[in-house]
Amino acid sequence: MTINKDIEAKILRYHFVEQWRVGTIATQLGIHHSVVDRVLSQAGLPKVERSPRPSIIDPYLPFIRETLAQFPTLTTARLYEMVKQRGYPGGTSLFRQRISQLRPRRQPEAHLRLKTLPGEQAQVDWGHFGSIQIGKAKRPLMAFVMVLSWSRQIYLQFYLNQQMENFLRGHVAAFEAWNGLPKVLLYDNLKSAVLERQGDAIRFHPTLLALSAHYRFEPRPVAVARGNEKGRVERAIRYIRDNFFAARHFQTLEELNHQADQWCQGVSGERRCPENTELTVKEAFHQEQPSLLSLPDNPFDTRESKPVIARKTPYIRFDLNDYSIPHQHVQKPLTVIADLKQLCILDGEHMIAEHRRSFDKAKQIEDENHINALWLQKTNAKQHRGQDRLSAASAHIPLFLQQAIQRGHVLTTTLRLLN
């Protein structure tokens, strides 16, 4: 309970001048006696110890203490049922109050402030920032965050999911932005990083191991229940939420990432470096950069690879959209190779189609050459295709064509003239 200075002054005056007891002061001022105890203890007086009154729970206290000593995390509801079976006649309110006083408290653990050397370590994590609407598709908006532990330089890039390919893209883009990388990358127990863990026994994701071998860094997960070991990246994500993303306006993902790049180089880089407050983060990074590992000659391949098959129509389905292929390749196993901008379709090692990638939903992305080739093969397909194109241009076309047929016009000729 919070009291004002006037009540606090009255408590001190009634106790020291009028010599009133704690209970009398509490009754007259309409406050709890614990408030009076607190004010007097702050004034330097020892807390008044009162003899406890008998309670119906007293006979059960030895059993409760013994049970809690053996099972310290046992819920109060389960303990109440156990005591009630042994004859406890009281309700839950008093019981819960006493259990909260009797339950063993875990000794709070003190954490050392972790120090790292320049170029030694970076921390990596994902942050969820809601969603973004792209056409008909509502995509999750995920922030890939990597922060150098010594200089606190932040790399920030937004993606439309946190799948492995984007996880790899975030790494490669961060390394290229810094023109180097640290010796150790520290991860939380992300599925993209750790497949399985039993105590200290860890099985890393094989793709992450391939990335680490390519760039020669050591992947290292944080210890279980040791949030202080990855505190730098967690604080960086909170900093991004409050100082970058809050009230941010953008139309596209590309625009958001452009703003993120400017923020990392500008506002974020101008803040004071916690390791050395005489330096800004940008100045500390310039000192740390020569200690980073150098980049290999070729970047790691972060393209997506997925087996697909075209059924009866000359399209394959990839990431919620349909892409056209030459009609000769229907009913055949194919492979899609995609980055964030382009999509290639392979038959074995031979590329049969290339499209600009779409992150919309239920879109039909076509190469006119594919469709025209099918028109030449299928007269009926050509006719239906012409009808579809005209129907898309005007809602009056179906009625017009029906009237043309009734008047004896040849449908194929009519479609050719209209197209």
Side-chain angles (χ1 to χ4, degrees), residues 179-200:
N179 195 30
L181 65 146
K183 300 174 182 64
V184 176
L185 289 183
L186 202 62
Y187 302 93
D188 198 355
N189 293 301
L190 299 169
K191 292 182 179 178
S192 304
V194 178
L195 289 182
E196 187 178 6
R197 181 171 191 158
Q198 294 292 335
D200 293 332

Side-chain angles (χ1 to χ4, degrees), residues 192-224:
S192 304
V194 178
L195 289 182
E196 187 178 6
R197 181 171 191 158
Q198 294 292 335
D200 293 332
I202 296 165
R203 184 162 67 93
F204 285 104
H205 198 292
T207 310
L208 178 63
L209 293 178
L211 179 75
S212 67
H214 186 84
Y215 287 98
R216 303 180 301 280
F217 69 85
E218 177 192 349
R220 186 184 298 171
V222 298
V224 176

Side-chain angles (χ1 to χ4, degrees), residues 66-117:
E66 181 182 350
T67 304
L68 286 175
Q70 188 176 1
F71 306 102
T73 60
L74 192 67
T75 65
T76 303
R78 179 66 189 126
L79 190 58
Y80 175 73
E81 291 298 325
M82 294 172 67
V83 174
K84 193 174 180 181
Q85 291 173 2
R86 288 162 174 79
Y88 175 64
T92 59
S93 298
L94 174 63
F95 186 82
R96 289 183 179 278
Q97 180 182 352
R98 290 304 302 271
I99 295 303
S100 67
Q101 298 168 356
L102 296 173
R103 188 180 296 279
R105 297 292 191 271
R106 188 173 69 176
Q107 184 67 26
E109 181 180 1
H111 296 290
L112 291 173
R113 184 178 178 87
L114 301 179
K115 297 282 187 178
T116 59
L117 296 173

Side-chain angles (χ1 to χ4, degrees), residues 138 179 320 330 337:
K138 186 176 183 180
N179 195 30
L320 305 180
V330 297
I337 304 293

Side-chain angles (χ1 to χ4, degrees), residues 114-317:
L114 301 179
K115 297 282 187 178
T116 59
L117 296 173
E120 184 67 24
Q121 182 196 95
Q123 299 181 8
V124 183
D125 207 352
W126 285 105
H128 187 264
F129 285 76
S131 60
I132 182 172
Q133 193 75 31
I134 303 177
K136 299 178 182 178
K138 186 176 183 180
R139 303 268 186 171
L141 188 60
M142 305 300 301
F144 175 89
V145 181
M146 185 182 294
V147 56
L148 288 169
S149 296
W150 188 80
S151 67
R152 308 301 174 87
Q153 179 71 29
I154 294 174
Y155 178 78
L156 169 64
Q157 189 81 356
F158 289 89
Y159 295 97
L160 299 178
N161 59 52
Q162 54 180 336
Q163 294 177 1
M164 174 56 75
E165 291 81 11
N166 286 332
F167 194 56
L168 300 174
R169 288 169 183 143
H171 283 76
V172 173
F175 299 160
E176 292 178 352
W178 294 340
N179 195 30
L181 65 146
K183 300 174 182 64
V184 176
L185 289 183
L186 202 62
Y187 302 93
D188 198 355
N189 293 301
L190 299 169
K191 292 182 179 178
S192 304
V194 178
L195 289 182
E196 187 178 6
R197 181 171 191 158
Q198 294 292 335
D200 293 332
I202 296 165
R203 184 162 67 93
F204 285 104
H205 198 292
T207 310
L208 178 63
L209 293 178
L211 179 75
S212 67
H214 186 84
Y215 287 98
R216 303 180 301 280
F217 69 85
E218 177 192 349
R220 186 184 298 171
V222 298
V224 176
R226 289 294 184 272
N228 65 310
E229 293 186 6
K230 60 181 180 66
R232 290 171 173 86
V233 71
E234 290 187 342
R235 285 191 294 273
I237 293 176
R238 290 198 298 269
Y239 177 54
I240 290 166
R241 289 189 192 281
D242 297 337
N243 291 274
F244 171 75
F245 196 75
R248 176 70 51 177
H249 297 286
F250 57 93
Q251 297 297 324
T252 65
L253 184 67
E254 291 76 13
E255 182 183 352
L256 177 61
N257 280 327
H258 177 68
Q259 295 178 19
D261 289 339
Q262 292 181 322
W263 180 81
C264 289
Q265 297 171 19
V267 174
S268 175
E270 296 300 330
R271 73 191 193 279
R272 289 287 144 187
C273 176
E275 295 293 332
N276 185 350
T277 55
E278 296 180 357
L279 300 174
T280 65
V281 168
K282 183 183 294 184
E283 292 168 342
F285 172 70
H286 288 156
Q287 293 186 14
E288 183 176 24
Q289 207 280 331
S291 301
L292 298 176
L293 297 175
S294 59
L295 297 177
D297 294 334
N298 57 318
F300 191 80
D301 187 0
T302 62
R303 295 177 300 172
E304 299 163 67
S305 178
K306 179 183 177 182
V308 294
I309 187 169
R311 300 299 177 183
K312 294 182 178 181
T313 59
Y315 297 92
I316 59 95
R317 173 64 59 88

Side-chain angles (χ1 to χ4, degrees), residues 352-366:
I352 62 172
E354 185 177 12
H355 297 279
R356 182 172 180 80
R357 183 169 182 176
S358 172
F359 290 98
D360 203 336
K361 180 181 180 181
K363 294 289 287 185
Q364 205 166 3
I365 297 93
E366 297 177 342

